[in-house]
Amino acid sequence: MEYMSRTVQIDAEALLQTVANLEKYLESLRNAIGLLNERLLEVKIAREALKRINSENTSDIIVSMDKDSNLMVKLKANIDGNPLVHLGLDIYAELPYDRAESVLAERENSITEELKRMSKEYDEKNKEYQKLQSLIYALSQQR
């Protein structure tokens, strides 16, 4: 049985450009995943706060006045009415506690699914990147 030898020509500049583009894409995916993780954490914090406010035995509530908790205030927990929940597009709705919890839970699930999708895409693109890096290394060793 005879094997034919094949010579494959690779455009080094195109290969390096592909790797550079892939690096940029991976960086943008890492940034997007980081932002989604922040959003997920914020929704979880909101759900926990809603549970604390809705509990019967709450006397005082400590509320952060900014995202990084640079300022916190203690409030007496005699909250009247229903919470206002962000629905998107800068629209808020006053909803009963159980419905507000449901909206936040749906948001948490949605973000979690998007995180899974992006993480899978990141893993796939990272494998592709590693293969290209290995190819570049192998080609550099042949010279």
Side-chain angles (χ1 to χ4, degrees):
M1 194 176 245
E2 220 176 284
Y3 291 101
M4 293 182 68
S5 175
R6 272 184 25 189
T7 303
V8 177
Q9 288 190 347
I10 297 174
D11 182 355
E13 193 172 308
L15 179 61
L16 293 174
Q17 184 61 48
T18 300
V19 169
N21 290 342
L22 203 47
E23 283 175 343
K24 288 178 188 174
Y25 186 64
L26 285 169
E27 180 64 26
S28 69
L29 282 174
R30 276 191 298 273
N31 291 337
I33 289 169
L35 290 173
L36 282 173
N37 276 318
E38 285 180 30
R39 285 183 54 208
L40 183 60
L41 180 61
E42 293 296 322
V43 171
K44 287 180 178 187
I45 290 169
R47 287 183 71 193
E48 184 59 35
L50 186 65
K51 288 176 189 174
R52 282 194 342 247
I53 291 169
N54 196 27
S55 71
E56 298 285 331
N57 57 3
T58 304
S59 60
D60 290 332
I61 298 173
I62 297 175
V63 178
S64 174
M65 301 307 289
D66 63 279
K67 185 177 178 181
D68 293 329
S69 297
N70 292 302
L71 176 64
M72 298 181 79
V73 295
K74 188 189 298 186
L75 302 174
K76 296 290 180 197
N78 94 9
I79 299 172
D80 293 330
N82 293 317
L84 294 172
V85 180
H86 185 251
L87 301 177
L89 300 173
D90 290 332
I91 298 171
Y92 290 81
E94 187 173 357
L95 299 173
Y97 281 90
D98 60 338
R99 182 64 183 125
E101 163 61 26
S102 175
V103 168
L104 292 174
E106 289 171 18
R107 184 168 302 139
E108 185 176 332
N109 291 337
S110 173
I111 294 169
T112 299
E113 288 303 312
E114 184 65 12
L115 262 171
K116 286 178 187 175
R117 187 193 67 74
M118 275 196 173
S119 294
K120 181 180 177 187
E121 183 174 353
Y122 178 84
D123 290 343
E124 290 169 358
K125 293 299 179 183
N126 194 42
K127 285 177 186 174
E128 183 180 331
Y129 175 77
Q130 296 301 326
K131 286 178 185 176
L132 289 175
Q133 288 287 45
S134 295
L135 176 61
I136 290 170
Y137 179 75
L139 290 173
S140 71
Q141 295 302 309
Q142 289 180 358
R143 290 185 178 190

